[in-house]
Amino acid sequence: MEPSTTLAFVGLADVVIGLSLGSRLFLIAVGLSLIFGVLGVLNFAHGAFYMIGAYVALTVTNQLIDNFWIAVVAGALAVGLIGVLIEVGTIRPLYERAEGELDQLIVTFGFVLVIHEAVRFVWGSQPYSMDAPASLAFSVSIAGSTFSAYRLFVIGAAFVVMAGLWLFVTKTYFGSLVRGTSSDREMASMLGVDVPRLYTAVFFLGSFLAGLGGALSAPLQSTSPALGDQVIIDAFIIVVIGGLGSMFGAFVGAMLVGLMQAIGPQFIAAGHIAIPFVAMVIVLLLRPEGLFGGIGE
Amino acid sequence: MIEEPGTIQNNENAACGSAGSGVDRRSFLKATGAGLAATGLAGCLGDDDGGGLTLGAVYIFSGFASLYGDEAERGYELAVEEINEDGGIDGEDVEVIARDTEGDADTAIRQMTSLIEEEGVDGLFGLDSSGVAQAMAPQVAEQQVPLMVTHAATPFLTSPEGEHDNSVGNEWVFRNCNSLSIDMYGAAQVAAELDAEEWATIGPDYAFGYETWDYFQAYLEGLGADVEFTDEQYPGLETSDYTPYISAIIDAEPDGVITPLWGADLTTFLGQADEAGWFDAIEYTLFSVGMGTDLPADGSPLPEGQHASTRYDPFVPETEENETFRETYYEEYDTLPTYNAEGAYRALYLYREAVEEAGSTDHDEVREAFTGMEHSGPVGEYHFDEETNQAVVPAIWGTVSQDEEWESNVLDPVEVYDVDADELDELLADSELPSGV
């Protein structure tokens, strides 16, 4: 790969890598933000959901059906269904509790531990890898730099998901119900909205997106039981920077964190991992609601 | 986690459920098959009166580096089989109780304590991670149990306590393989011979990564090489995407890179480096743990033509002892022995020699027998430095090649760098680093 010169110290390759990291993080962060924005649930298990998406996808391609696209859909759907089971079975009974938020946090953290051990039991501790689909197994040359087509595809997928979610939330009837319910749950309920069902649907959607993120990321990284812990921290940083509950904030936050992760090593050999944390602290100090704070956007 | 039995003894441990967060499928099946009938309470009570020699093996059997534990297990099981078939030690069997450190210092210390207090082991061997080894060293001294380290490489483990702020060496800790210090002496010799002026590193973000780079630079400077040191990258252990670090190194355009990435991290890195065009952009990559584990096996991602080191080479030295070990091992496991297998294998023979020389399994007498011991194994003839307890063995570096006969990656050509403690000390004189030998 030839170094390029789009910026003084940062090459085009670094920007593309940053966007691809950001795209994967967006898919997990937006689901986390959506669930919090509508349900008020801070889902600690969201990183574990992402990890399951990756494991299911690579199991489908490596052991069941050698079809990448089916594997991605299977990964996303499996996680969506797991999310529904968890929401209906364990989180729904806690909505009305006085200390419900704390209880939800403890329950979802419990699921992190359960899922982690379950993954170790089913797949073991060894990392796995998965091939990109044959149709995208080629390289693209842009301005002297070479990129894998799959990496560019994932960036495109994040933009498509962002646009789709925006249209879904702002232009559809279901979207208006979601926005209305997130603003005033009691009013929505009095107006005849089936709030429990809506909550479950939103939890499904958020979980589905985490699974989709994990499945799409599987060919770009190794999948091991450590994966969930790695991404959930990034996802929390992103939603704090972007603003809890803001989809657009999640998008911008994810891309910023992705770029920080890609460009950080160029400047600081050790300790660059702290850069996104520093950014989060600065945002919290200057703009506690996040860059695009606004519940139910 | 309760792990692989060298003999039936492990099953007693499993029955007690004394220390475990989980049992992997392989361990379970093996333990079950090995001898359900032997399950009893003796192990629970710490019964150590069965005679013979009981050793505790502490390796990483799960997680990103579990392949090292697997390799070690093959080595010590082969030695157990050979020694017991050969009449054991003074007519009594040797047995091994294995425990998983999970690469974590707290877990390792917990397992070590359990092995000593519940199982009453006569000695310990193993350890893959330098960080874990450094945490364990003071503990074994406190417990006064000999520990033969067969893999963990930090020089501070055998640098006597007080020599440097990080030194933890003591009279109970021995190491039978070469250390990071000796390995980097070899790396510097290789680098000095190459037409590379700028060097960079990418290593794991803990002591092992930093020490590798420090010693590499110190030895090159000691050798008077006219080189510059440019970029350094330290991704965390179990990083799933190395792309930003790979990109940073490629952008820095060094002529050569030394990497001590290891275990599954190395495998993950290699795939992503290849995708990013690393091997077109970087002329020389030195893999200091490259020939360490399953990488020499068929289908290894370690590219041919690159430089790699090993702490034991199945073809070096060309002695009857090494040839016999290599062929016995190949017959048993259908693959060439790696250094972790050889190190664990040799640890058993070292204990046999020490116990026979001491005429006892008394911890103190075994420790004294190890001190300054001269030994011969597949790795060749060597002795333990009396001051550091470090085996004085050569550094081995070579070029990765595919061998048709063995259907495996091997080092060919391979170079052996013999070195003694004085020479290492002299080369490091301008640095604050101890040679650890």
Side-chain angles (χ1 to χ4, degrees):
Chain A
M1 187 187 296
E2 293 293 322
S4 56
T5 53
T6 47
L7 294 170
F9 300 105
V10 179
L12 175 64
D14 303 318
V15 174
V16 172
I17 289 165
L19 292 178
S20 84
L21 290 171
S23 298
R24 286 140 64 186
L25 292 174
F26 164 68
L27 292 170
I28 175 174
V30 74
L32 184 72
S33 199
L34 184 70
I35 289 172
F36 179 82
V38 180
L39 282 65
V41 174
L42 207 47
N43 181 21
F44 245 107
H46 212 69
F49 286 5
Y50 174 93
M51 175 175 66
I52 295 174
Y55 272 109
V56 170
L58 65 84
T59 301
V60 170
T61 53
N62 294 354
Q63 292 175 16
L64 300 175
I65 309 164
D66 187 15
N67 184 308
F68 174 83
W69 306 106
I70 291 175
V72 169
V73 173
L77 275 178
V79 176
L81 291 174
I82 290 169
V84 167
L85 290 175
I86 288 176
E87 195 273 339
V88 172
T90 64
I91 297 176
R92 186 183 288 181
L94 305 177
Y95 289 131
E96 301 299 333
R97 285 200 187 174
E99 298 292 333
E101 286 178 7
L102 185 60
D103 291 346
Q104 289 159 10
L105 210 62
I106 293 168
V107 165
T108 57
F109 185 71
F111 276 109
V112 173
L113 304 177
V114 170
I115 291 170
H116 190 268
E117 285 307 304
V119 162
R120 279 171 59 120
F121 183 77
V122 175
W123 285 283
S125 300
Q126 284 287 87
Y128 290 92
S129 60
M130 167 179 162
D131 291 333
S135 55
L136 290 170
F138 60 93
S139 296
V140 177
S141 199
I142 306 171
S145 293
T146 306
F147 306 103
S148 97
Y150 185 74
R151 199 171 280 278
L152 299 175
F153 163 77
V154 172
I155 297 173
F159 277 86
V160 169
V161 168
M162 175 64 219
L165 275 175
W166 180 78
L167 287 172
F168 179 68
V169 172
T170 58
K171 305 291 181 192
T172 66
Y173 175 67
F174 185 81
S176 64
L177 290 182
V178 168
R179 281 182 290 137
T181 307
S182 69
S183 299
D184 192 332
R185 179 185 172 179
E186 285 183 8
M187 181 63 78
S189 186
M190 281 191 285
L191 290 173
V193 176
D194 186 345
V195 173
R197 185 175 293 181
L198 184 88
Y199 273 22
T200 303
V202 170
F203 208 91
F204 170 83
L205 181 59
S207 307
F208 179 91
L209 288 169
L212 182 67
L216 287 176
S217 301
L220 293 173
Q221 62 188 23
S222 60
T223 301
S224 74
L227 186 58
D229 301 337
Q230 291 166 3
V231 294
I232 191 65
I233 295 168
D234 290 334
F236 274 121
I237 292 173
I238 288 164
V239 294
V240 170
I241 289 176
L244 272 167
S246 166
M247 285 190 311
F248 189 63
F251 185 79
V252 174
M255 294 306 169
L256 282 175
V257 169
L259 287 168
M260 284 183 234
Q261 289 181 344
I263 296 165
Q266 308 281 347
F267 298 98
I268 310 172
H272 56 80
I273 293 169
I275 294 175
F277 289 91
V278 174
M280 180 179 72
V281 170
I282 293 170
V283 169
L284 276 175
L285 287 173
L286 300 179
R287 196 174 159 81
E289 70 275 23
L291 298 178
F292 300 91
I295 306 300
E297 182 189 331
Chain B
M1 182 182 291
I2 296 157
E3 281 295 342
E4 317 308 329
T7 70
I8 289 167
Q9 178 83 6
N10 247 30
N11 235 27
E12 298 169 4
N13 187 13
C16 305
S18 58
S21 56
V23 178
D24 70 49
R25 180 178 51 82
R26 191 165 47 86
S27 306
F28 175 76
L29 292 174
K30 201 164 186 183
T32 311
L36 270 174
T39 304
L41 290 172
C44 307
L45 301 173
D47 183 3
D48 178 29
D49 299 323
L53 181 72
T54 305
L55 297 173
V58 274
Y59 288 99
I60 299 176
F61 287 108
S62 61
F64 83 104
S66 61
L67 31 90
Y68 289 96
D70 295 343
E71 294 286 346
E73 181 200 1
R74 290 175 176 180
Y76 69 68
E77 284 199 338
L78 184 60
V80 166
E81 196 180 315
E82 285 179 359
I83 290 172
N84 289 345
E85 276 179 10
D86 193 35
I89 301 173
D90 293 333
E92 300 280 357
D93 279 358
V94 58
E95 51 191 2
V96 172
I97 304 171
R99 293 288 178 83
D100 186 4
T101 68
E102 299 176 21
D104 173 69
D106 291 339
T107 307
I109 289 168
R110 209 168 53 242
Q111 298 286 29
M112 180 201 74
T113 307
S114 165
L115 283 167
I116 295 168
E117 294 179 358
E118 294 169 32
E119 307 291 352
V121 294
D122 300 305
L124 298 161
F125 68 97
L127 296 187
D128 301 291
S129 158
S130 289
V132 172
Q134 276 181 283
M136 285 264 289
Q139 305 290 326
V140 293
E142 197 178 312
Q143 298 268 5
Q144 303 203 334
V145 176
L147 166 66
M148 182 61 66
V149 176
T150 66
H151 182 194
T154 176
F156 298 106
L157 185 65
T158 47
S159 159
E161 202 177 340
E163 189 177 22
H164 185 277
D165 287 348
N166 298 334
S167 300
V168 294
N170 63 61
E171 60 184 353
W172 294 93
V173 177
F174 299 80
R175 176 161 45 206
N176 71 355
C177 61
N178 75 17
S179 69
L180 182 154
S181 171
I182 300 172
D183 194 31
M184 283 306 103
Y185 165 77
Q189 293 278 11
V190 172
E193 293 293 315
L194 299 172
D195 57 340
E197 290 177 359
E198 293 189 352
W199 284 90
T201 190
I202 176 167
D205 186 16
Y206 76 109
F208 184 58
Y210 298 99
E211 287 171 14
T212 297
W213 186 229
D214 290 344
Y215 276 87
F216 180 70
Q217 293 178 90
Y219 278 123
L220 267 173
E221 281 168 359
L223 289 169
D226 184 19
V227 294
E228 286 178 41
F229 304 106
T230 58
D231 199 30
E232 44 195 291
Q233 296 295 325
Y234 299 106
L237 282 173
E238 294 192 79
T239 291
S240 56
D241 192 342
Y242 287 87
T243 315
Y245 306 95
I246 290 166
S247 175
I249 296 267
I250 290 176
D251 284 358
E253 297 182 296
D255 301 314
V257 177
I258 183 156
T259 177
L261 288 174
W262 60 295
D265 282 354
L266 177 58
T267 314
T268 302
F269 164 79
L270 283 166
Q272 292 167 353
D274 193 35
E275 185 203 329
W278 174 286
F279 297 105
D280 295 327
I282 310 288
E283 192 156 5
Y284 305 109
T285 308
L286 274 55
F287 293 94
S288 73
V289 197
M291 297 299 281
T293 52
D294 63 344
L295 294 178
D298 189 32
S300 160
L302 202 61
E304 286 187 56
Q306 300 297 328
H307 297 79
S309 75
T310 183
R311 292 163 210 180
Y312 156 75
D313 187 299
F315 302 96
V316 177
E318 291 180 18
T319 59
E320 194 180 329
E321 199 167 13
N322 194 18
E323 186 182 333
T324 303
F325 171 66
R326 179 181 71 220
E327 293 188 356
T328 309
Y329 188 96
Y330 193 86
E331 201 172 305
E332 186 86 12
Y333 301 115
D334 202 27
T335 182
L336 287 170
T338 58
Y339 69 64
N340 220 28
E342 196 270 348
Y345 173 86
R346 191 154 36 89
L348 269 289
Y349 280 96
L350 280 161
Y351 267 105
R352 181 172 81 165
E353 189 172 328
V355 169
E356 284 179 348
E357 189 181 317
S360 154
T361 57
D362 178 80
H363 294 171
D364 210 43
E365 290 181 33
V366 171
R367 175 187 65 77
E368 278 181 23
F370 276 147
T371 307
M373 178 188 272
E374 290 181 7
H375 190 78
S376 175
V379 75
E381 289 181 9
Y382 61 96
H383 73 278
F384 286 90
D385 184 275
E386 288 199 21
E387 199 179 330
T388 61
N389 293 337
Q390 165 68 50
V392 184
V393 288
I396 302 172
W397 277 84
T399 306
V400 179
S401 312
Q402 177 69 24
D403 186 285
E404 300 299 331
E405 183 188 345
W406 295 92
E407 295 180 335
S408 173
N409 271 357
V410 296
L411 292 179
D412 184 24
V414 61
E415 194 76 40
V416 175
Y417 298 97
D418 266 313
V419 64
D420 59 35
D422 291 342
E423 191 178 348
L424 294 179
D425 287 332
E426 201 175 306
L427 290 170
L428 292 175
D430 290 338
S431 73
E432 293 179 349
L433 300 171
S435 70
V437 181

